[in-house]
Amino acid sequence: MRVRIRVAAAAAAVLLPLTAATAVAAPTPTPAPAPPKPAPTGPTSIVDVLGKGSPGGYLRDAQGRQVILRGFNTDGRVKVSDDCMPAYTAKDIAREHQDMGTNAVRLLMQWRCVEPQPGTYDNAYLDRVEKLVADYNAHGMTVLLDMHQDVYSVHATPGSDAGNGAPAWAVHMDGKPVPKKKQWWEYYVTPGVIRAFDNFWNKYGNHPELAEHYAKMWGHVASRFAHHRGVVGYDLMNEPYAGSSLPGTVEKGPLSDLYQKCVNEIRKTDKDSWVFLEATAFGTNFGRASELRRLTDPRPGAPKIGYAPHLYPLGSEGGLASASVPGAKGVVSLWQARVRDQARRLSPDNTTVPLILGEFGMDTTKSGSIGYLEHVLTKVGEMGAGALYYASDPGPWGPYEKDGTPRNLQKTMANCFVPVASGNIRYQKTTPTACTLQITTRPGTTQVYLPRGTFSAVTVSGATITGWDPRSRILSIQIPEGHEKLVTVTAGGTYKL
């Protein structure tokens, strides 16, 4: 049986009866105040709802409700600044959350700042990261810490800021050249950068210490955030590169080995945070099958290991014309199938592991870009996965212009969506004016984010409104229990918010 819940904006006129005229005019009666809206059912901050989350095939809270993370990556200043911190301020975070209802962030970090010298950790840097984490948490946003790299290291691309990530002492190019390139990604195929990655993977047996340092570095970071409720987990390495080896060879060999070392180090002090893996970027970002091995999680109980792929169809980063969108959608379908398969193979019971689309994005000035991004959000919704857009930088990729003016992406990312669902989400499609959810329900409250402006009043049929939080824009509803319930939320209605 399917139940449809429709939420629609409408204005209701209230007519006050006039009293009959008498010799002495009667005073105009004061209208009775509107009954107060019911308080929200439980917390609405995802930090309080989710915390570290419960183990299983999806991100879930302690009540077993499925949690969907939606937000951005921190801005790219992290990659080039000496202090490895983004330009984002607490004011920027507050605006983002208010405008778009984001509940998570992928916070970029740098190995070069965590471990500037071998075995020496910069705790002042981690203090700065922890302060930024607190700023995000204060606005209801949980944090995924990402150890970011592109082209291995700034020290691997002399005369260019194309590279970022590794400290100078971990860069071994063996005298190989790095010719100047026009595009940052072209540096990946230079001899020096290829050799730096080969040595990181210890291809020639000369640098086994690099993987050991990297894993212990993650262990140190985890010891700092193990008990931090507002850090949901760790993304172990951004877009690994295979160097001169085949991507699959590195994934099932040294990359999986590295991830296992990192998990082992993290679990020495942190038993509860999620650990998210990425495959090598080349190919998997546009549909190649990845070959990561299933890892062993030494924590007590069920494992907490997830998968955080990226999605960039070849040639799409400059934006898409409308004519190019059908081809890109085909790539997304292939990517979706391959991601689901990798998630199954990482799972201990061959079902799935939690999925977060760690990066997707493009120049949105082209005619087909926004339609493509809306399609991506729909396909991710079919997977019960989170989505973290790259990035929050102002300009043609971001939600705001450099002067703070909202861009077209802001409206797309401000979609009505379901961040907390009491059951298993089978499908979720979101737009700024409507969202559709297909769910097999269990007892509990489901939360719906309603963007400002579009939703000023709602009517709910087929479910009970159990609470409204005007600050977080979260509507709490109770859906009848059963299989494959269909919930449709559309702008317009009679229940004033």
Side-chain angles (χ1 to χ4, degrees):
M1 180 180 69
R2 298 192 170 199
V3 175
R4 289 184 177 268
I5 303 173
R6 300 197 174 273
V7 183
V14 179
L15 300 178
L16 299 176
L18 298 177
T19 57
T22 60
V24 179
T28 302
T30 302
K37 296 291 187 292
T41 307
T44 57
S45 165
I46 214 69
V47 176
D48 297 325
V49 170
L50 179 61
K52 295 291 188 182
S54 300
Y58 299 93
L59 286 181
R60 294 192 184 279
D61 68 3
Q63 301 177 39
R65 297 182 300 176
Q66 190 172 346
V67 175
I68 303 297
L69 302 183
R70 181 75 68 86
F72 289 84
N73 285 247
T74 48
D75 68 81
R77 181 182 179 273
V78 169
K79 303 178 183 183
V80 298
S81 61
D82 291 339
D83 66 357
C84 299
M85 295 299 292
Y88 233 43
T89 66
K91 183 178 179 181
D92 296 323
I93 294 167
R95 177 183 63 174
E96 175 194 314
H97 180 66
Q98 176 170 317
D99 288 353
M100 292 173 279
T102 48
N103 63 8
V105 63
R106 183 172 179 250
L107 197 160
L108 280 58
M109 297 178 65
Q110 294 274 287
W111 182 15
R112 64 186 169 94
C113 279
V114 179
E115 191 179 10
Q117 296 298 325
T120 301
Y121 303 115
D122 186 349
N123 289 314
Y125 170 56
L126 296 181
D127 289 342
R128 297 193 296 272
V129 172
E130 188 169 18
K131 170 61 170 61
L132 187 58
V133 167
D135 288 340
Y136 275 105
N137 292 168
H139 292 91
M141 302 164 73
T142 192
V143 176
L144 177 65
L145 296 178
D146 157 52
M147 202 59 64
H148 208 84
Q149 72 80 32
D150 295 294
V151 203
Y152 194 69
S153 171
V154 66
H155 303 287
T157 58
S160 167
D161 60 4
N164 64 88
W169 58 264
V171 180
H172 299 281
M173 297 189 290
D174 300 340
K176 299 289 186 180
V178 182
K180 188 76 173 176
K181 298 295 181 181
K182 291 183 179 179
Q183 301 291 336
W184 70 269
W185 49 265
E186 292 179 300
Y187 281 91
Y188 273 115
V189 297
T190 59
V193 169
I194 290 172
R195 181 56 62 92
F197 275 103
D198 284 346
N199 280 324
F200 181 75
W201 305 126
N202 197 30
K203 182 173 183 176
Y204 307 109
N206 297 326
H207 294 284
E209 79 283 358
L210 295 179
E212 298 295 332
H213 275 288
Y214 194 87
K216 289 183 183 299
M217 176 270 300
W218 258 121
H220 184 75
V221 172
S223 70
R224 182 65 173 265
F225 294 99
H227 304 293
H228 203 302
R229 186 171 175 80
V231 173
V232 68
Y234 312 116
D235 187 341
L236 296 184
M237 179 181 284
N238 178 70
E239 298 194 345
Y241 179 62
S244 63
S245 300
L246 292 174
T249 301
V250 168
E251 286 167 353
K252 60 190 175 186
L255 180 56
S256 290
D257 291 342
L258 174 70
Y259 285 161
Q260 187 66 67
K261 291 177 188 291
C262 291
V263 171
N264 293 345
E265 290 293 332
I266 287 169
R267 292 304 184 221
K268 289 179 180 179
T269 57
D270 187 342
K271 312 294 185 186
D272 293 326
S273 297
W274 282 93
V275 177
F276 283 88
L277 315 180
E278 297 185 36
T280 59
F282 185 75
T284 59
N285 284 6
F286 41 89
R288 178 183 65 82
S290 54
E291 300 182 53
L292 292 172
R293 300 194 317 261
R294 182 180 299 161
L295 302 185
T296 299
D297 191 344
R299 71 180 298 273
K304 296 182 76 173
I305 295 176
Y307 187 44
H310 295 181
L311 174 59
Y312 292 107
L314 209 57
S316 68
E317 294 188 14
L320 290 173
S322 297
S324 301
V325 171
K329 287 183 176 180
V331 171
V332 174
S333 295
L334 175 63
W335 172 90
Q336 182 191 58
R338 295 287 171 74
V339 166
R340 281 174 162 161
D341 183 61
Q342 176 68 86
R344 177 189 60 78
R345 287 183 285 109
L346 288 173
S347 168
D349 58 1
N350 289 308
T351 54
T352 189
V353 295
L355 293 169
I356 296 176
L357 175 53
E359 283 191 24
F360 70 110
M362 61 176 52
D363 182 332
T364 64
T365 60
K366 298 290 184 65
S367 59
S369 294
I370 290 297
Y372 163 80
L373 293 173
E374 290 176 347
H375 177 74
V376 168
L377 290 173
T378 297
K379 301 302 282 186
V380 170
E382 292 175 358
M383 303 163 77
L388 302 174
Y389 183 91
Y390 191 90
S392 57
D393 299 76
W397 278 58
Y400 302 101
E401 300 289 1
K402 292 183 178 180
D403 64 2
T405 304
R407 298 190 63 256
N408 55 359
L409 178 70
Q410 190 240 52
K411 187 175 181 180
T412 300
M413 291 299 290
N415 287 354
C416 163
F417 80 104
V418 176
V420 181
S422 186
N424 292 331
I425 295 175
R426 303 301 183 192
Y427 173 87
Q428 180 173 188
K429 181 176 180 179
T430 68
T431 72
T433 59
C435 51
T436 302
L437 175 73
Q438 190 172 28
I439 180 173
T440 295
T441 58
R442 63 177 64 183
T445 299
T446 292
Q447 297 182 352
V448 185
Y449 168 73
L450 302 178
R452 282 177 167 78
T454 311
F455 290 85
S456 59
V458 296
T459 296
V460 176
S461 61
T464 303
I465 295 176
T466 58
W468 167 247
D469 182 3
R471 186 169 179 270
S472 64
R473 303 288 301 177
I474 293 294
L475 184 74
S476 299
I477 60 173
Q478 196 87 26
I479 305 172
E481 291 182 53
H483 291 281
E484 306 297 325
K485 301 293 184 179
L486 188 65
V487 180
T488 304
V489 181
T490 309
T494 58
Y495 182 91
K496 293 186 177 182
L497 301 177

